[in-house]
Amino acid sequence: MLLPSFIVGSALALATTAAGSPCSPPNVVHKDIVIVGGGASGVYAAVRLREDFGKSIALIEKREILGGHVDSFTDPETGGNIEFGVQAFLDVGNATGFFDRLGVARRPFAAERLNSTYIDFETGKVLNFTLPPMADQLAAMNKFLQVIEPWERLLQPGYFDFPDPDEIPGDLLLPFGEFVTKHGIENAVPRIYSISGLGLGNITNEITMYVLQAFGGPNARVVVGRGRSFEPASGRNQDLYDAAARLLGSDVHYSSTIVDSHRTDSKVRVTVQDANTKINTTIIAKRLLVAIEPSRGRNIQPLDLDEDELNLFNKFRYTSRFAGVIDSKALAVNKSYVNLPANAAPNNYLSYPEVPFNARFDYLGTGHYFRVGVMGNHAVRDDNAKQLVQQSYETLLDAGDLVPGETDRNITWKAFSAHGPMYARVSREDIQAGFYKRLYEIQGRRSTWWTGAAWSAHIQTVLWKYDDVLIPKMLEGLE
Ligand SMILES: Cc1cc2nc3c(=O)[nH]c(=O)nc-3n(C[C@H](O)[C@H](O)[C@H](O)COP(=O)(O)OP(=O)(O)OC[C@H]3O[C@@H](n4cnc5c(N)ncnc54)[C@H](O)[C@@H]3O)c2cc1C
Ligand SMILES: *[C@@H]1O[C@H](CO)[C@@H](O)[C@H](O)[C@H]1NC(C)=O
Ligand SMILES: *[C@@H]1O[C@H](CO)[C@@H](O)[C@H](O)[C@H]1NC(C)=O
Ligand SMILES: *[C@@H]1O[C@H](CO)[C@@H](O)[C@H](O)[C@H]1NC(C)=O
Ligand SMILES: *[C@@H]1O[C@H](CO)[C@@H](O)[C@H](O)[C@H]1NC(C)=O
Ligand SMILES: *[C@@H]1O[C@H](CO)[C@@H](O)[C@H](O)[C@H]1NC(C)=O
Ligand SMILES: *[C@@H]1O[C@H](CO)[C@@H](O)[C@H](O)[C@H]1NC(C)=O
Ligand SMILES: *[C@@H]1O[C@H](CO)[C@@H](O)[C@H](O)[C@H]1NC(C)=O
């Protein structure tokens, strides 16, 4: 169903060259696929659709660079590189092939081993907390894998085969703390928490299947030596997405967001605005692929959502995650200061802070630079997150936990990044009422397809694998 406004709008725009002035019609571009969001899932889809499936594409990204949660920071003083967002790429699906085709050399990822001090950041009290012996951690992680591996295909790379409500394995819906106790895998939890579970706040209360989407089989297999993880050989994760940016060239619209859209069963029309030039461009495409979090409010509002879509998306709740690099001589080189509640000592592996909180100060291997990570809810903004870090820093300073003689109360921020909203999840009741079936039913409706972490796991390379499954479905019926 081709609306007359399409024809009129495009004919007019082609006849004029003076785009951008308030009264002239926008530029019009025709593409097979328009993709919104140049992070993990959007970039991978853009490359594959254009290069492997021969489709013309436009990729819309609101920032000046591609890569989403990747945060590579170059220290202006030393020229050294620091990663304070995404750390590692797990060897899932054809992840190595993606690096190879972009000409980005890989090396195995090795996490820094830091000497950790456990402190209750609310009070500054140093805790006599001890990790389980490594052998016990590994045994528990193996047990964890044994339990979850039969269910992995229900969750990853996406919810394509998620069971009907009465067939959902009960364990997947348990609070994670109960799941852990039931299977006696307490000794695996500190590692799960520190690697990625912390994005969910107090993970013991979280529904088990969401913990598995943040830390699942691929992560656990790396821990026990059955899987690999890697990073660019340069050590700079942004190099991967910069290489994709070079390949995609002018098919990417940077600093751009959708300001208006119209979606029909035969095509979509989206108008994007460049935040710098204010110039509007209208893209008419056969398919729309949405690769941003479907969070409520301004972000996806211009997507011309219908009632079904709004009802589904309004059920999601999110964690806001912030990351930053600070410079402080009061924090000791080579150290990690980890925030735990007092009752975690001496060996309670099921007690973690409640959001909002600053999870840690981790030495970054150069100068006096430390990585911080704040977990928040929807109410936490950039300023609150920075304040939380400042507060926890002062608490540690006043309690005498930091380097003796260093009294500087001010944190110097070298870099800061707001990653929220992320970890989209719904209630147990909604899952049991068939949420994921209904969510996947909107795939393809009005020429629109959906990718990204809300539809899959919160792992870069699992999202790439999800795209591999989605793309052929999305191209069905396209000549
Ligand atoms: C601190 C941190 C560390 C992490 N570490 C790892 C790790 O080590 N390994 C791993 O595998 N995963 C890691 N993750 C998780 C992983 O990065 C995410 O799951 C993944 O990036 C999600 O991909 P996505 O495509 O859904 O969204 P994103 O990667 O967030 O991409 C969304 C993109 O859309 C853009 N955008 C948003 N709104 C709009 C709009 N309205 N218009 C246009 N563009 C828009 C954004 O700027 C962004 O570029 C980490 C996440 C965080 C926050
Ligand atoms: C761009 O599009 C938006 C939404 O349709 C509109 O409000 C705005 O006036 C347009 N701007 C220009 C410069 O045409
Ligand atoms: C993996 O990616 C590479 C590079 O794009 C490609 O040549 C290869 O065919 C892919 N392998 C599979 C199994 O898809
Ligand atoms: C870690 O630091 C503490 C306190 O500074 C010190 O006592 C301990 O020996 C260190 N452990 C290692 C393994 O370096
Ligand atoms: C710390 O706790 C361990 C038990 O986990 C105990 O053996 C040790 O004595 C405690 N140390 C201090 C200083 O309290
Ligand atoms: C920090 O660790 C590095 C590498 O192990 C070591 O060379 C250096 O001496 C340590 N610095 C301090 C202050 O402990
Ligand atoms: C985290 O959740 C568990 C389980 O409900 C609870 O026992 C614990 O007290 C919580 N942690 C904090 C810091 O509140
Ligand atoms: C801390 O920083 C604030 C804001 O930059 C400044 O006003 C204040 O004087 C600084 N305090 C110290 C002790 O340096």
Side-chain angles (χ1 to χ4, degrees):
M1 185 181 55
L2 191 64
L3 296 182
S5 63
F6 280 2
I7 303 162
V8 174
S10 54
L12 268 178
L14 291 174
T16 176
T17 49
S21 70
C23 47
S24 63
N27 300 308
V28 176
V29 176
H30 291 264
K31 296 286 184 183
D32 290 321
I33 322 275
V34 55
I35 305 160
V36 186
S41 60
V43 169
Y44 185 85
V47 169
R48 289 223 63 205
L49 282 165
R50 205 186 73 180
E51 302 294 306
D52 299 337
F53 294 88
K55 299 298 170 198
S56 60
I57 59 121
L59 175 60
I60 315 305
E61 167 55 47
K62 75 172 173 195
R63 298 168 69 211
E64 313 272 348
I65 56 171
L66 299 180
H69 293 313
V70 169
D71 276 319
S72 300
F73 167 72
T74 304
D75 179 9
E77 278 155 48
T78 64
N81 180 65
I82 288 171
E83 294 300 314
F84 69 103
V86 170
Q87 301 289 303
F89 296 84
L90 299 169
D91 189 7
V92 169
N94 200 6
T96 54
F98 193 55
F99 272 67
D100 293 347
R101 78 177 312 152
L102 294 172
V104 178
R106 286 171 272 116
R107 70 179 184 201
F109 175 78
E112 294 278 339
R113 293 231 172 278
L114 297 173
N115 187 344
S116 297
T117 302
Y118 300 91
I119 303 176
D120 180 351
F121 282 14
E122 297 272 322
T123 61
K125 182 177 191 291
V126 176
L127 307 177
N128 180 22
F129 171 87
T130 326
L131 285 176
M134 190 52 75
D136 295 353
Q137 292 190 41
L138 292 179
M141 198 62 84
N142 272 306
K143 180 79 192 297
F144 170 77
L145 268 170
Q146 212 181 345
V147 173
I148 68 158
E149 276 181 336
W151 303 321
E152 258 187 281
R153 56 166 202 89
L154 307 179
L155 304 173
Q156 294 182 15
Y159 299 95
F160 300 102
D161 294 321
F162 197 70
D164 288 334
D166 49 350
E167 283 163 16
I168 302 172
D171 279 19
L172 292 184
L173 300 181
L174 287 178
F176 188 60
E178 280 179 38
F179 172 88
V180 166
T181 315
K182 174 177 172 186
H183 296 288
I185 53 170
E186 288 83 350
N187 290 336
V189 182
R191 204 64 180 272
I192 292 174
Y193 172 77
S194 74
I195 291 179
S196 56
L198 58 71
L200 298 166
N202 184 352
I203 62 168
T204 53
N205 286 332
E206 198 47 69
I207 300 171
T208 295
M209 66 176 245
Y210 290 125
V211 178
L212 303 189
Q213 295 297 53
F215 181 102
N219 297 83
R221 281 188 286 274
V222 171
V223 172
V224 302
R226 277 173 52 202
R228 296 184 306 160
S229 61
F230 46 82
E231 62 185 351
S234 62
R236 186 172 179 271
N237 289 338
Q238 187 61 42
D239 286 352
L240 179 75
Y241 287 99
D242 286 351
R246 281 193 300 277
L247 176 68
L248 294 170
S250 59
D251 283 342
V252 187
H253 296 245
Y254 292 100
S255 316
S256 296
T257 52
I258 293 189
V259 289
D260 186 40
S261 69
H262 186 68
R263 299 154 45 204
T264 73
D265 291 343
S266 64
K267 55 178 65 183
V268 295
R269 182 195 68 211
V270 303
T271 300
V272 305
Q273 185 169 74
D274 183 316
N276 299 326
T277 63
K278 304 292 178 214
I279 292 178
N280 285 357
T281 303
T282 290
I283 301 161
I284 296 174
K286 295 170 186 156
R287 300 277 191 275
L288 167 65
L289 179 62
V290 184
I292 59 179
E293 289 279 359
S295 50
R296 52 186 103 186
R298 259 188 334 132
N299 213 29
I300 56 164
Q301 196 189 317
L303 282 179
D304 178 25
L305 298 176
D306 61 35
E307 211 167 302
D308 276 355
E309 291 165 341
L310 279 172
N311 283 340
L312 288 163
F313 298 160
N314 281 341
K315 290 184 185 301
F316 280 126
R317 61 205 159 83
Y318 293 90
T319 298
S320 298
R321 192 166 164 180
F322 305 83
V325 178
I326 64 166
D327 182 3
S328 166
K329 288 196 168 62
L331 298 166
V333 162
N334 287 348
K335 261 198 121 60
S336 169
Y337 302 85
V338 180
N339 183 8
L340 282 180
N343 70 0
N347 56 6
N348 173 3
Y349 304 132
L350 290 179
S351 183
Y352 296 94
E354 290 280 11
V355 291
F357 66 96
N358 173 26
R360 54 213 300 137
F361 296 95
D362 279 347
Y363 185 58
L364 282 164
T366 175
H368 288 273
Y369 289 175
F370 289 79
R371 177 171 46 229
V372 297
V374 171
M375 299 304 127
N377 48 31
H378 64 277
V380 178
R381 309 261 172 257
D382 295 16
D383 280 358
N384 311 128
K386 284 187 168 179
Q387 253 162 32
L388 252 170
V389 173
Q390 173 76 35
Q391 248 166 38
S392 58
Y393 172 82
E394 287 180 24
T395 303
L396 268 52
L397 193 68
D398 291 342
D401 300 336
L402 305 184
V403 174
E406 294 290 345
T407 55
D408 188 356
R409 301 190 74 73
N410 268 0
I411 281 183
T412 306
W413 288 92
K414 290 291 172 182
F416 180 80
S417 212
H419 292 283
M422 65 180 295
Y423 293 112
R425 49 204 193 274
V426 300
S427 70
R428 184 174 293 106
E429 291 68 34
D430 286 331
I431 298 170
Q432 280 169 323
F435 177 83
Y436 284 99
K437 189 139 274 169
R438 288 200 289 133
L439 186 69
Y440 272 48
E441 273 165 13
I442 67 171
Q443 290 282 15
R445 196 183 288 187
R446 288 194 293 150
S447 311
T448 304
W449 296 77
W450 304 83
T451 181
W455 304 76
S456 174
H458 311 288
I459 300 170
Q460 297 258 327
T461 54
V462 173
L463 286 162
W464 299 350
K465 193 175 170 187
Y466 169 93
D467 281 351
D468 285 338
V469 177
L470 191 75
I471 286 170
K473 295 180 193 286
M474 179 177 143
L475 296 182
E476 263 171 40
L478 259 195
E479 73 287 357

